[in-house]
């Protein structure tokens, strides 16, 4: 990477810039993000944060997935890392080099950042062959000195890596969407930067190709060891790709953890509702002990093993659990056990979704069985306290 950091008309060297924000002791993360904020002005003149005071470290070789609904700020966050947006506050540092610091007036332009990016639209040059599209990053920055032989060796190596070396002389319009996505991936890998940003790269391909490409990207990442920041709104894609998931909610990182932790122990109710389907029962906390939270609800007392930090007796809360954790026709009595009637039961191929009425309350039950329940039939439902989490309203 070029070691000159742009400061408007002035410039300082990367070591000088880094001195303003020294790295802490210990392993150096691939990316260190501190207090980043990006504001946008609406048509009515009001300024709103797309990214609001975000602090995050991304480790070498990690896949961090930014997950959130459309408009939550995740793509803006990615563009700030790439240098396509200029943050209004905070510091972004990569491997000891300050890429942007609003306080110090530092902003490294995108072409000088040793970062590759894959766009949702692929951003392929239609008039260039596959070979020339992949070779393009090697014609800029410190790669400009490569010989023709070195460029060809790198390009063909990247194309072979993604399985499309035989398409080198084709143009983008002559290949499929899945093949175009592989071209974009090869172009990102050819620089060997070790840091790749993915902006919803699989949203334009069909489900079968998407599943295949997702597996290929993850396999290549593990084999090559590059660091990735991956943006998606698809929860299944996030869970399948990530070492850690950062759930973005209205410009704020609401929860950062492993996929398992985010899914089974969400930090708050908004995160829980965004990650998959959820059974919810409102109530009031009547007891908080180590490993046991009791909630008074319309269904009776619900016992839970985990809850949001800081819960207290008398607090209005929601007891939540996933549909696949609902047990059908288990114990006749005991904790979290209720009689009900089947409202609907539908087979969806990989699972059967049943909706059970517990008086005025509906609970979802998912099973891998392929025989739907009889509508109107009487059943008993239960859920283990270990599968229930209590979250503040």
């Amino acid at each position: 990477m070029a070691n000159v950091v742009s400061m408007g008309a002035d410039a300082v060297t990367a070591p000088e810039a880094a001195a303003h924000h020294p790295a802490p002791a210990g392993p150096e993360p691939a990316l260190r993000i501190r207090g980043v904020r990006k504001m946008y002005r609406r048509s009515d003149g009001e300024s709103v944060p797309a990214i609001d005071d975000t602090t995050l470290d991304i480790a070498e070789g990690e896949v961090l997935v930014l997950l959130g609904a459309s408009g939550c700020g995740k793509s803006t966050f990615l563009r700030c890392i790439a240098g396509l947006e200029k943050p209004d506050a905070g510091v972004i540092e990569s491997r000891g080099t300050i890429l942007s610091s609003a306080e110090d007036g530092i902003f490294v332009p995108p072409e000088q950042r040793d970062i590759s990016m894959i766009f949702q639209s692929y951003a392929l040059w239609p008039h260039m062959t596959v070979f020339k599209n992949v070779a393009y990053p090697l014609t800029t920055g410190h790669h400009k000195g490569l010989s023709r032989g070195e460029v060809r060796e790198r390009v063909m190596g990247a194309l072979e890596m993604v399985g499309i070396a035989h398409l080198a002389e084709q143009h983008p319009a002559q290949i499929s969407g899945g093949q175009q996505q592989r071209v974009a991936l090869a172009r990102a890998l050819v620089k060997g930067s070790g840091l790749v940003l993915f902006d919803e790269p699989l949203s334009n391909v069909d489900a079968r190709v998407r599943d295949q490409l997702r597996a290929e990207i993850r396999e290549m990442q593990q084999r090559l060891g590059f660091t990735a920041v991956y943006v998606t709104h698809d929860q299944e894609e996030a869970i399948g790709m990530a070492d850690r998931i950062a759930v973005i909610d209205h410009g704020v990182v609401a929860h950062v953890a492993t996929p398992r932790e985010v899914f089974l122990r969400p930090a708050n109710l908004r995160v829980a509702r965004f990650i998959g389907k959820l059974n919810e029962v409102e109530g009031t906390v009547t007891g908080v002990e180590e490993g046991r939270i009791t909630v008074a609800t319309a269904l009776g007392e619900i016992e839970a093993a985990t809850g949001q930090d800081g819960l207290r007796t008398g607090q209005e809360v929601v007891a939540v659990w996933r549909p696949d954790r609902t047990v059908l026709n288990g114990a006749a009595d005991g904790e979290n056990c209720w009689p009900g009637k089947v409202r609907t039961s539908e087979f969806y191929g990989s699972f059967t979704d049943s909706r059970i009425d517990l008086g005025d309350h509906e609970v979802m039950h998912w099973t891998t069985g392929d025989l739907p329940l009889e509508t109107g039939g009487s059943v008993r439902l239960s859920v283990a306290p270990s599968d229930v989490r209590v979250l503040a309203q």
Side-chain angles (χ1 to χ4, degrees), residues 19 27 73 108 135 190 251 263 286 293 312 359:
V108 177
V190 76
F263 187 80
T286 59
I293 302 167
R312 63 189 184 280

Side-chain angles (χ1 to χ4, degrees), residues 312-386:
R312 63 189 184 280
T313 301
Q315 186 172 357
E316 299 298 312
V317 295
V318 181
V320 304
W321 67 93
R322 301 297 178 184
D324 62 305
R325 301 304 173 109
T326 306
V327 178
L328 184 67
N329 293 329
D333 53 22
E335 297 174 328
N336 306 342
C337 184
W338 311 279
K341 286 187 178 291
V342 178
R343 176 186 291 185
T344 62
S345 188
E346 302 289 341
F347 176 58
Y348 286 95
S350 59
F351 71 102
T352 295
D353 179 357
S354 300
R355 308 299 172 102
I356 313 297
D357 285 332
L358 308 180
D360 295 330
H361 199 88
E362 181 186 273
V363 168
M364 289 180 285
H365 168 259
W366 288 357
T367 179
T368 54
D370 59 358
L371 295 176
L373 302 176
E374 181 182 351
T375 301
S378 295
V379 295
R380 290 194 69 83
L381 292 184
S382 63
V383 59
S386 59

Side-chain angles (χ1 to χ4, degrees), residues 269 273 281-284 308 311 315-318 391-393:
L269 190 56
R273 286 171 172 168
V281 183
E282 295 182 356
T284 304
Q308 190 171 341
L311 293 179
Q315 186 172 357
E316 299 298 312
V317 295
V318 181
L391 303 170
Q393 293 198 44

Side-chain angles (χ1 to χ4, degrees), residues 169-181:
E169 298 308 315
Q170 301 298 309
H171 286 78
Q174 298 172 311
I175 61 179
S176 69
Q179 290 168 335
Q180 290 178 29
Q181 181 59 70

Side-chain angles (χ1 to χ4, degrees), residues 208-225:
R208 183 184 62 80
V209 175
R210 183 164 59 247
D211 289 345
Q212 181 180 353
L213 286 172
R214 183 173 65 207
E216 289 180 3
I217 291 172
R218 187 58 169 141
E219 186 277 328
M220 276 189 285
Q221 185 277 329
Q222 291 174 330
R223 176 159 47 89
L224 300 175

